[in-house]
Amino acid sequence: MMAALIMVREGRDWQTSGALFDWTLEYLIPRVADEKTAELLRTVVEENLGNLWIPDLPGEAQEEIYAVIRTGLLATAGQELPRAALDQLRELVALTY
């Protein structure tokens, strides 16, 4: 399984498995209002790019992604994913602050 990376903030990155990375982006896609951001996330998943640099996005898109990660990610993951994945996702949530 391929490793993947999300650069959450400058100097603060989250490394995980390719499967959890894809799950996280697939969680975000329908929840972000900005269509350009959603399309970028879709492309990253479809092309198996394995990384996302949030600081490269416009400020509003960054803040929206952080808000979506903070507000429902763990609850949804708790219903869909094994416990070990939740621990990794908690690290991602913490990096958004």
Side-chain angles (χ1 to χ4, degrees):
M1 170 129 342
M2 163 184 112
L5 178 125
I6 295 178
M7 179 62 66
V8 182
R9 295 188 183 275
E10 207 57 53
R12 297 170 78 182
D13 63 87
W14 181 68
Q15 296 183 34
T16 191
S17 70
L20 189 54
F21 173 86
D22 285 352
W23 183 93
T24 303
L25 268 56
E26 288 166 358
Y27 171 84
L28 291 170
I29 290 165
R31 292 169 175 86
V32 294
D34 180 59
E35 188 50 45
K36 281 180 78 172
T37 301
E39 188 56 40
L40 170 73
L41 298 174
R42 235 180 258 111
T43 300
V44 170
V45 172
E46 289 171 2
E47 301 293 327
N48 290 313
L49 299 179
N51 62 66
L52 173 66
W53 258 243
I54 296 174
D56 287 352
L57 299 172
E60 285 182 16
Q62 292 179 43
E63 290 308 315
E64 184 180 26
I65 288 173
Y66 298 147
V68 171
I69 288 172
R70 292 173 191 149
T71 54
L73 182 79
L74 293 176
T76 302
Q79 297 170 352
E80 298 181 10
L81 299 173
R83 189 177 182 100
L86 280 176
D87 292 338
Q88 287 196 342
L89 289 167
R90 279 189 194 94
E91 294 172 16
L92 173 62
V93 173
L95 290 171
T96 67
Y97 289 97

